[in-house]
Amino acid sequence: MSKEKLIIFDTTLRDGEQSPGAAMTADEKLRIAKALERMKVDVIEAGFPISSEGDFLAVQSIANVVKDSRICGLARTNKEDIERAGEALKNANASRIHTFIATSPLHMREKLQMEPEQVVEQAIKAVKLARQYTDDVEFSPEDAGRSELDFLCRIIEVAIEAGATTINIPDTVGYNLPEQYGKTIRDLIERVPNSGKAIFSTHCHNDLGLAVANSLAGVMNGARQVECSINGLGERAGNAAIEEVVMAIRTRQDLFPCDVDVDATQIITCSKLVSSITGFAIQPNKAIVGVNAFAHESGIHQDGVLKSRETYEIMRAQDVGLSSNKLVLGKLSGRSAFKNRLDEMGIELDSKEELNDAFRRFKELADKKSVIFDEDIQSLLLDVGFDEQMVEKVKLVTLKTCSETGETPHAAIMLNVGGVEQSSEASGGGAVDATFKAIEKIINSGSSLLLYSVNNVTEGTDSLGEVGVRLEKAGRVVNGHGSDTDIVMASAKAYIKALNKLEMPSERIHPQASSAI
Ligand code: KIV
Ligand code: ZN
């Protein structure tokens, strides 16, 4: 018997980006969107176009380039938001406007300061206006998890009547328990007279660690869309993790009445990409994508797995794209072999210049590291490309560091700042500390370092080191990424990238912090 389709709606680029410190540039968002398209995600919520010029451009460029997934833009229920979303999505192959307004008594009274009647009117107007831009409109009663069922039924009925094709039920503050959330979905589908004209969707936050459980309870009770994000990125404790939702549905086909079209073998690539770009590390024991998720450490387990895989494994590592570190290319590999490998990995670069840049970096790496794996290529590609929004005011010219037993580590650096070369030296607790201090002697950014992380991309001491740096200045938080076989060099690159991001314009509105009008 053929199964119903479960729509996978990814909100890494919208709700995920609302996570403090996860802000991404338009170029980074486009990279993630392309990876999500390769993963065959049905709908990509690309951003909140009214929030800033940068977010508008990000949604627009994703709508221009990504053609296999539906591209969605978020809008509050006011005219300006909806018009801006419509404009950003103009060139999409398939578009969606997602409009929302809060419906819980607390939110209506305290945040919106509106009467329930006004909220209903506002929802109707918004859905009708959104339908003038696209015939695919999603409506969310924000904080549905704490809203009154009768009021939800009422607003959903009129939203569908006005043209909403998807009704999303957000547990905005992650307050619901699975049974309760599942029952809400079932009750709504049963009680709203025209519910058959829309698809019901889940949107669960993870404040109590229940986002995935709640989403799956929603699916068991009739929801046919799940909103989720890579690595569970999102406001506060995050959203439901896409990798967990997809693998639960796939692994328990004996129980679910529906299936997903997602290519799960792209999960690890997407997960690493999002983690590198945002600087949000993945905990080792994280389900599906943590480094321990498929490692069978204990002797008893290993013995069991060797005798029969099913004794302790419910999924296969290769099903989520964990390859056993394939040797791909080496020092003598030419441009076409490199390009072939990119094609096999499903990676498309935007221009000849980007391919040249990637190939140059690959050759540089091959000089330092004889064995190059897929993971190395993925990591070096993060630094490839020309970010139109990014003002590369600061560039690294040279760096020399010295660490010696009994001596204070020292760094001498030369930067090109706005076309002028400047040098400085500094000592520090270690080579990285000395390097950051030497950079700051020139730039004097006034920022503080919130996070510094180092990860090895593959095994072995000649592995590429991937460094994440998070800087904060006047309440603004940015991430920088750098990779190199020398982790001090990778650290300098990451620090400089973060400094350059601080130079970019940043004004943006938070979708849920302000009123609807
Ligand atoms: O959590 C939430 O309520 C949201 C809405 C904007 C759908 O993210
Ligand atoms: Zn949310």
Side-chain angles (χ1 to χ4, degrees), residues 245-455:
V245 171
V246 165
M247 291 316 288
I249 301 278
R250 278 276 157 81
T251 307
R252 299 309 309 266
Q253 275 294 293
D254 54 329
L255 295 181
F256 284 101
C258 50
D259 198 2
V260 292
D261 286 339
V262 165
D263 176 1
T265 64
Q266 295 294 319
I267 283 178
I268 295 291
T269 305
C270 279
S271 163
K272 284 189 177 164
L273 182 67
V274 170
S275 170
S276 300
I277 286 178
T278 58
F280 279 53
I282 302 162
Q283 74 193 58
N285 57 335
K286 162 86 180 61
I288 318 293
V289 293
V291 286
N292 286 357
F294 290 91
H296 292 270
E297 201 70 65
S298 99
I300 300 169
H301 285 199
Q302 272 187 14
D303 184 50
V305 171
L306 287 178
K307 285 187 179 130
S308 164
R309 195 184 59 77
E310 288 80 16
T311 45
Y312 286 98
E313 263 187 33
I314 57 163
M315 299 167 277
R316 293 180 314 167
Q318 59 267 39
D319 292 346
V320 298
L322 260 180
S323 60
S324 45
N325 273 354
K326 265 187 269 158
L327 164 63
V328 287
L329 300 166
K331 199 176 155 81
L332 298 176
S333 307
R335 220 183 127 80
S336 63
F338 178 67
K339 171 84 175 65
N340 275 346
R341 189 60 207 150
L342 290 184
D343 291 344
E344 278 163 22
M345 289 166 74
I347 296 171
E348 261 173 61
L349 294 175
D350 282 342
S351 60
K352 213 168 147 209
E353 287 76 25
E354 281 199 2
L355 180 62
N356 290 343
D357 190 19
F359 186 60
R360 182 182 56 74
R361 285 171 199 263
F362 161 72
K363 280 293 189 188
E364 277 169 16
L365 182 61
D367 276 340
K368 297 182 202 157
K369 190 173 187 289
S370 52
V371 181
I372 295 191
F373 300 107
D374 286 356
E375 286 85 346
D376 293 313
I377 294 181
Q378 257 141 12
S379 178
L380 70 84
L381 287 179
L382 280 181
D383 293 329
V384 171
F386 308 95
D387 195 330
E388 279 161 23
Q389 266 190 315
M390 182 112 166
V391 204
E392 249 205 299
K393 189 175 162 199
V394 185
K395 292 184 183 133
L396 176 64
V397 183
T398 57
L399 171 64
K400 186 174 163 190
T401 56
C402 181
S403 299
E404 200 178 329
T405 317
E407 297 293 328
T408 308
H410 186 81
I413 199 158
M414 185 189 284
L415 300 177
N416 182 315
V417 186
V420 181
E421 287 189 349
Q422 297 183 43
S423 305
S424 79
E425 298 192 16
S427 299
V432 172
D433 187 41
T435 301
F436 288 2
K437 284 185 172 137
I439 295 172
E440 278 300 338
K441 270 192 179 170
I442 300 174
I443 307 294
N444 214 351
S445 71
S447 61
S448 36
L449 182 67
L450 294 188
L451 181 135
Y452 170 73
S453 65
V454 186
N455 284 302

Side-chain angles (χ1 to χ4, degrees), residues 11 14-15 18 170-172 203 205 235 239 512:
T11 187
R14 198 279 297 169
D15 213 322
Q18 281 172 222
D171 181 19
T172 303
H203 180 108
H205 279 271
E235 283 272 16
N239 289 76
Q512 287 151 282

Side-chain angles (χ1 to χ4, degrees), residues 11 14-15 18 45 74 98-100 138 140-144 168-173 203-205 227 235-236 239 511-512:
T11 187
R14 198 279 297 169
D15 213 322
Q18 281 172 222
E45 190 167 44
L74 183 72
H98 175 191
T99 185
F100 74 99
E138 174 169 326
S140 288
E142 189 196 356
D143 204 19
N168 182 41
I169 304 300
D171 181 19
T172 303
V173 291
H203 180 108
C204 299
H205 279 271
E227 301 201 352
E235 283 272 16
R236 307 177 310 279
N239 289 76
Q512 287 151 282

